[in-house]
Amino acid sequence: MVDEYKMVIVVRADLKMSKGKMAAQASHAAVNCALAAKKRDPESLERWMNNAYPKIVLKAKDEAELFLIKSFADAAGLLNSVVTDAGRTEIAPGSVTCLGIGPDASSKIDKVTGELPIF
Amino acid sequence: MVDEYKMVIVVRADLKMSKGKMAAQASHAAVNCALAAKKRDPESLERWMNNAYPKIVLKAKDEAELFLIKSFADAAGLLNSVVTDAGRTEIAPGSVTCLGIGPDASSKIDKVTGELPIF
């Protein structure tokens, strides 16, 4: 089986963001990860983009779980980015909303996020 | 008043995507626009990123409205990107799901998208 390259975006479920808010926050994570990969790991970025950029959005139950997943991603050497909301709408300024991971090989990312449910 | 730089993501409301699906599609548009801007308009990208990357998610009622907005964006010389879903989940393969516009000056983008409701 080919080891597909993907990006995972872990979103806090407890903030109960609207669809539009959540899409904006996830987009922020994705842009951070893509631009960081362009600088630090252009080969992964290219492999991901050459395969229709799979992006999977997963649920963290709260901020503590999000940071736990981040610590696993750091330990695994996965590029990742925490998004803190500017707080213009809906939620308190400075709230951590989501975590982007990758793009990287699915097998590597799944070891870190494999237990989280799909959003 | 300072003319803020922003990115707008116009999402088809008629597809009734789940939160996770919509977040993934919007992320795709945002990555396309950010990487295209890095190549073609790095100054706009930098102005946008230096100001907490505002991203606004708006509703198009259907594919026809999305392409109408795209034609306005093209006419205004705004960088934009249409996202077509790979169709692995929820919706038919090849469906157009959203349109990213910018990053560019709010005043310029608002002329194109100003009538659309927030998602």
Side-chain angles (χ1 to χ4, degrees):
Chain A
M1 207 180 103
V2 176
D3 196 4
E4 183 180 73
Y5 273 59
K6 69 180 175 186
M7 180 185 287
V8 163
I9 303 166
V10 179
V11 180
R12 273 179 66 185
D14 61 316
L15 292 176
K16 301 186 191 312
M17 291 180 275
S18 69
K19 277 189 175 185
K21 179 78 179 177
M22 180 170 145
Q25 296 296 309
S27 297
H28 196 129
V31 167
N32 280 353
C33 284
L35 290 174
K38 188 164 177 62
K39 195 176 281 182
R40 290 191 270 153
D41 188 4
E43 195 189 313
S44 288
L45 183 68
E46 197 163 326
R47 285 183 71 163
W48 177 60
M49 296 187 72
N50 285 342
N51 186 29
Y53 322 22
K55 294 152 304 292
I56 319 294
V57 182
L58 301 176
K59 257 182 215 188
K61 65 178 197 292
D62 54 21
E63 185 176 336
E65 187 170 56
L66 186 143
F67 277 111
L68 182 66
I69 300 293
K70 178 182 170 40
S71 70
F72 294 159
D74 287 337
L78 287 164
L79 192 159
N80 67 85
S81 173
V82 169
V83 175
T84 302
D85 185 50
R88 300 180 182 206
T89 54
E90 286 191 36
I91 58 178
S95 300
V96 167
T97 57
C98 58
L99 164 71
I101 303 176
D104 212 316
S106 283
S107 59
K108 211 171 151 191
I109 295 183
D110 288 349
K111 279 181 197 140
V112 167
T113 63
E115 302 295 313
L116 298 177
I118 294 271
F119 216 117
Chain B
M1 204 182 102
V2 177
D3 196 3
E4 182 179 72
Y5 272 58
K6 68 180 175 185
M7 182 187 284
V8 163
I9 303 167
V10 179
V11 179
R12 275 178 65 185
D14 61 318
L15 292 177
K16 300 187 193 312
M17 290 181 274
S18 69
K19 278 188 174 185
K21 178 79 180 178
M22 181 170 143
Q25 296 296 310
S27 297
H28 197 129
V31 167
N32 280 353
C33 284
L35 291 173
K38 189 162 176 61
K39 194 176 280 179
R40 289 191 269 155
D41 187 5
E43 194 189 315
S44 288
L45 183 68
E46 198 163 325
R47 286 183 71 161
W48 178 60
M49 294 186 75
N50 284 343
N51 186 29
Y53 324 17
K55 296 153 301 293
I56 319 293
V57 182
L58 302 175
K59 258 182 215 189
K61 66 177 198 289
D62 54 21
E63 186 176 336
E65 187 171 54
L66 187 145
F67 277 110
L68 182 67
I69 301 293
K70 179 183 167 41
S71 71
F72 295 159
D74 287 337
L78 287 164
L79 191 158
N80 67 84
S81 173
V82 170
V83 175
T84 303
D85 184 51
R88 300 181 184 205
T89 54
E90 285 191 35
I91 58 178
S95 300
V96 168
T97 57
C98 58
L99 165 71
I101 303 176
D104 213 317
S106 283
S107 60
K108 211 170 149 190
I109 296 184
D110 288 348
K111 279 182 196 140
V112 166
T113 63
E115 302 296 314
L116 298 178
I118 294 268
F119 216 117

